[in-house]
Amino acid sequence: MTEGQSAPKRDVQNHHLFECAWEVATKVGGIYTVIPTKVLVTIAEYGDRYILIGPLTNKSAMEVRVLDLVDPVVATTLEAMRSHGVKKLFTSSRRAERGPMEPWRHLYPPHDAETNDVILFGYRMAWFLGEYASQQLDAAIVSHFHEWQAGVAIPICRKRQIDVMTVFTTHATLLGRYLCAGSVDFYNNLRYFDIDHEAGKRGIYHRYCIERASVHCADVFTTVSHITALEAEYLLKRRPDGVVPNSLNINKFQRKYEHESENLYAIARTKIHGFVRGHFYGHYDFDLENTLYIFTAGRYEYRNKGADMFIESLARLDYRLKRLDSKTTVVAFIIIPTSTNSYTIEAFKGQALVRQLQETVTEIQKRTGDRLLDHALRFHSEGKLEVEPSDLLSSEDQVLLKQRISALKRTSLLPFVTHNMVDDTNDPILTQIRRVKLFNSHENRVKTVFHPDFLTSSNPILGLDYEEFVRGCHLGVFPSYYEPWGYTPAECTVLGIPSITANLSGFGCFMQDTIERPEDESCYIIDRRTNLFEQSDSATRHGGSVLISIARIESLSPLLDWKTLGVKYTKSRQLALRRAYPDAFLVTDGESDEEVDYFVVSKPDLFRYPDRLPHLK
């Protein structure tokens, strides 16, 4: 709505909520975790007055179920749009229906298919909200948009004066992500960047304009952490109205932790053991009982997510273990999806050979047990049982066992990636692993496994869901340089797995602000403000000491649960309604309508290398 426009009287208390995000049905990053984990508390608040909207992509088509619409106004709205030729309302392909979209084609930037789809999706979303608002005249309407891909509808709604209150949440600024990936001293130069020049130089000026327009046209603007709020004020030129931290559905984790924790950890560790045996076949010369599993995971942003520091720290740890002549082996997993063609033949072969050997050993065990039982029943009258190995292990069993063992011989070097990469030569992670010589040789006490795909239980090589995989590891390491929030260390914390994160991540700042000693909860926070690789030494030292403890889920449940932090989302929507319908809210003397029961972000002080990370007080 435009400033000064008189809004029709609508029911504010029973308002309707539409939440819009590109990742409603498509897994890309952290928003995909935000949406499904938050949905239970939002439904509890809104019931049938809450609808999620996102584009349908080829990737998400297999996960979508068609359900009947509960809200009859939504059904009539969709039917009205279909009558104008829109057959697939929120498909992300602009080529699907060229006819009704012709008036918007001049808006498409050339050679940027994603932005084309974003613009199309935004215009359809604004069309939908306009139709809905014209038919549903009783209740107020709030539409909450996540990230720039969903934000195109916000300036359109304002221009068309659609009677909908808008909330925009940025989970990471576009320019911030690009600048940090470009190896700049981002936080100490935040106030000095020429924003338009930097966006144009990186070829994202049109995307940046979409993001900035969404921010300035929204009734309420929020971010997910104080560090991102600081960034947004300088890069997007609007101070956020508040911070809405990301959370988790703690009930799911806590229920499993209380009733099945020991079994779940043991099962997950056993599955990882099985993978390691197959992956390292032919060079399997270490003791799994004296092996530590550590991992890093996230979106493929090589520098932003700290993959560079993680690999550097592995090389230094390998050097130290070799100098100490340690018998401990560290297997480090890098779970970062990127473009691949398929699994490698060696990855399949190793798992198949180990399975064959395991089946053979199981058969021999049964036959040997039968023979031992027979000998025990027939031992002589003096009560002395004498059994020769040849009596238990037949010549046929020995030949079969030797054949299986012979098949495990390997003359080639061990691979450190499970897939055939699209661009193996130029991949930053593989390039650095080769540079620091982590070749998984006999001399390396640190072994590396790069798994460039999402983890699922149907995975033919590492058949574990991500949550199950985390339970099987000893430590998660996430030394991000740019991380507006950081779900990975939070998930480690609630799963009882120690983690290392950075004070340049939203989660790291959140833990420092809310817990006096995060390390007591097995969450170690390293200092990345100086942007020096020497910090990796700190990471390895923490990694050695943190393994003695398990996170206390009970004490952290209120801290990281949507039931607690979800109220921040409620307050952001209430602020949007208060700004549109001030007469519907009571304001006490001395208080502004924006400050009543709300979290207002104050202006930050930014200075070089503070005692703690510079963030909004």
Side-chain angles (χ1 to χ4, degrees):
M1 295 178 56
T2 57
E3 188 174 349
Q5 179 186 5
S6 60
K9 290 186 177 181
R10 290 178 179 265
D11 184 354
V12 173
Q13 298 302 321
N14 297 303
H15 63 273
H16 290 217
L17 173 63
F18 293 97
E19 192 163 11
C20 178
W22 197 259
E23 296 185 43
V24 164
T26 304
K27 187 172 185 178
V28 179
I31 302 176
Y32 184 82
T33 304
V34 171
I35 298 299
T37 57
K38 185 174 64 66
V39 72
L40 292 177
V41 296
T42 312
I43 290 176
E45 181 180 356
Y46 284 90
D48 294 340
R49 295 179 288 115
Y50 172 53
I51 293 179
L52 275 163
I53 298 179
L56 181 64
T57 66
N58 292 332
K59 291 183 179 179
S60 60
M62 298 296 292
E63 303 177 6
V64 173
R65 292 181 298 160
V66 179
L67 302 175
D68 294 331
L69 291 170
V70 177
D71 189 338
V73 182
V74 172
T76 56
T77 299
L78 295 178
E79 187 58 36
M81 295 182 69
R82 291 191 185 100
S83 67
H84 288 84
V86 181
K87 298 178 182 178
K88 297 180 179 179
L89 180 57
F90 294 119
T91 178
S92 66
S93 174
R94 64 192 173 97
R95 293 178 294 275
E97 296 153 25
R98 182 63 58 86
M101 302 298 113
E102 284 294 331
W104 305 332
R105 287 192 64 200
H106 69 284
L107 298 170
Y108 297 153
H111 314 303
D112 190 344
E114 182 181 9
T115 304
N116 294 342
D117 292 340
V118 163
I119 292 173
L120 175 60
F121 175 63
Y123 268 83
R124 285 175 169 173
M125 184 68 195
W127 187 354
F128 170 84
L129 290 173
E131 289 280 353
Y132 186 86
S134 66
Q135 296 186 45
Q136 198 285 111
L137 301 175
D138 298 327
I141 304 168
V142 176
S143 191
H144 193 144
F145 300 86
H146 296 268
E147 284 291 80
W148 72 275
Q149 293 100 325
V152 172
I154 297 176
I156 301 173
C157 287
R158 179 167 285 256
K159 181 179 180 181
R160 296 178 180 177
Q161 301 183 11
I162 298 173
D163 192 9
V164 173
M165 275 52 69
T166 57
V167 180
F168 181 73
T169 299
T170 181
H171 296 252
T173 70
L174 268 169
L175 192 53
R177 194 184 296 276
Y178 274 79
L179 284 168
C180 287
S183 300
V184 300
D185 188 4
F186 178 67
Y187 292 99
N188 291 310
N189 293 286
L190 190 53
R191 66 174 78 182
Y192 306 117
F193 290 118
D194 183 338
I195 306 303
D196 291 338
H197 172 73
E198 296 292 347
K201 184 169 69 174
R202 287 161 175 79
I204 59 166
Y205 186 73
H206 55 291
R207 295 186 178 200
Y208 169 74
C209 289
I210 290 174
E211 182 180 44
R212 187 164 172 176
S214 303
V215 166
H216 284 269
C217 291
D219 295 308
V220 172
F221 170 45
T222 63
T223 65
V224 296
S225 64
H226 288 293
I227 191 171
T228 313
L230 174 72
E231 172 189 343
E233 180 167 2
Y234 285 99
L235 298 186
L236 297 175
K237 305 303 181 184
R238 177 178 176 180
R239 186 183 306 168
D241 296 297
V243 172
V244 287
N246 291 335
S247 308
L248 290 163
N249 180 9
I250 299 298
N251 280 344
K252 179 183 70 172
F253 298 106
Q254 196 170 33
R255 185 167 54 252
K256 290 183 178 180
Y257 181 83
E258 290 173 348
H259 302 294
E260 307 172 356
S261 60
E262 292 186 8
N263 288 336
L264 289 171
Y265 288 110
I267 292 171
R269 188 72 52 78
T270 299
K271 289 183 178 180
I272 296 178
H273 284 341
F275 166 81
V276 168
R277 291 189 181 101
H279 186 78
F280 293 96
Y281 85 92
H283 295 266
Y284 176 61
D285 54 2
F286 50 91
D287 181 12
L288 289 182
E289 296 303 318
N290 196 21
T291 298
L292 301 179
Y293 296 136
I294 68 176
F295 77 101
T296 191
R299 191 199 301 259
Y300 201 135
E301 294 178 16
Y302 172 66
R303 181 173 181 268
N304 289 354
K305 300 298 184 182
D308 53 352
M309 178 171 284
F310 180 66
I311 297 170
E312 177 71 18
S313 68
L314 294 179
R316 299 186 182 203
L317 178 61
D318 183 60
Y319 174 76
R320 290 182 175 182
L321 292 175
K322 286 190 288 188
R323 285 197 62 184
L324 295 171
D325 195 24
S326 174
K327 303 303 180 185
T328 299
T329 301
V330 175
V331 177
F333 293 89
I334 302 172
I335 313 296
I336 299 180
T338 188
S339 300
T340 63
N341 291 318
S342 62
Y343 286 97
T344 63
I345 294 176
E346 282 294 310
F348 282 116
K349 181 180 178 181
Q351 301 303 320
L353 289 174
V354 171
R355 256 193 315 270
Q356 287 179 346
L357 178 60
Q358 189 172 20
E359 291 170 358
T360 299
V361 169
T362 301
E363 293 173 4
I364 293 175
Q365 282 178 328
K366 184 179 184 308
R367 290 196 291 267
T368 302
D370 292 339
R371 295 188 190 106
L372 182 59
L373 175 62
D374 189 58
H375 277 278
L377 292 173
R378 292 188 291 108
F379 72 93
H380 55 76
S381 57
E382 286 130 12
K384 185 178 180 182
L385 177 62
E386 295 180 356
V387 180
E388 297 295 330
S390 59
D391 295 333
L392 300 180
L393 196 62
S394 68
S395 59
E396 291 82 4
D397 289 339
Q398 294 183 43
V399 170
L400 182 59
L401 192 58
K402 288 178 180 178
Q403 289 176 342
R404 293 286 184 254
I405 294 174
S406 178
L408 294 173
K409 290 182 179 179
R410 193 182 213 166
T411 56
S412 60
L413 290 174
L414 276 172
F416 40 80
V417 62
T418 57
H419 291 60
N420 293 306
M421 307 288 287
V422 170
D423 190 3
D424 180 284
T425 304
N426 298 312
D427 183 81
I429 290 177
L430 295 182
T431 298
Q432 188 180 4
I433 290 175
R434 296 183 187 110
R435 181 179 60 79
V436 300
K437 299 181 180 180
L438 290 176
F439 294 128
N440 291 343
S441 64
H442 173 73
E443 291 77 19
N444 289 126
R445 302 316 310 151
V446 174
K447 318 288 186 180
T448 55
V449 179
F450 179 23
H451 187 278
D453 198 2
F454 292 108
L455 292 177
T456 64
S457 57
S458 59
N459 188 311
I461 300 298
L462 188 56
L464 295 164
D465 288 323
Y466 178 75
E467 179 185 319
E468 191 178 5
F469 170 78
V470 172
R471 277 196 172 93
C473 292
H474 297 90
L475 176 70
V477 184
F478 317 100
S480 301
Y481 182 71
Y482 181 81
E483 185 67 82
W485 178 248
Y487 259 121
T488 44
E491 289 166 334
C492 284
T493 299
V494 299
L495 285 169
I497 301 301
S499 66
I500 296 171
T501 187
N503 62 353
L504 293 184
S505 72
F507 176 75
C509 294
F510 177 81
M511 293 294 281
Q512 284 183 324
D513 287 344
T514 53
I515 298 178
E516 184 175 353
R517 289 177 53 83
E519 58 270 23
D520 290 345
E521 306 296 341
S522 298
C523 180
Y524 281 74
I525 301 171
I526 63 173
D527 185 1
R528 287 220 59 183
R529 293 168 300 176
T530 56
N531 192 29
L532 298 175
F533 274 107
E534 279 67 19
Q535 292 300 324
S536 62
D537 288 339
S538 173
T540 55
R541 284 198 297 274
H542 287 324
S545 61
V546 76
L547 294 172
I548 62 173
S549 62
I550 294 296
R552 297 189 294 274
I553 292 180
E554 293 84 355
S555 63
L556 292 176
S557 294
L559 186 65
L560 298 174
D561 195 0
W562 277 119
K563 290 180 180 178
T564 301
L565 295 180
V567 69
K568 303 290 188 179
Y569 274 85
T570 299
K571 289 181 177 181
S572 66
R573 296 188 288 264
Q574 289 294 324
L575 179 58
L577 290 166
R578 185 178 292 117
R579 287 175 172 174
Y581 305 101
D583 296 339
F585 295 85
L586 295 177
V587 180
T588 60
D589 293 338
E591 292 179 321
S592 70
D593 61 337
E594 296 183 6
E595 294 176 345
V596 177
D597 191 26
Y598 193 65
F599 49 111
V600 177
V601 175
S602 60
K603 187 174 179 60
D605 291 324
L606 182 65
F607 50 94
R608 189 174 180 84
Y609 302 155
D611 293 335
R612 294 190 60 186
L613 172 74
H615 63 271
L616 305 180
K617 299 296 184 182

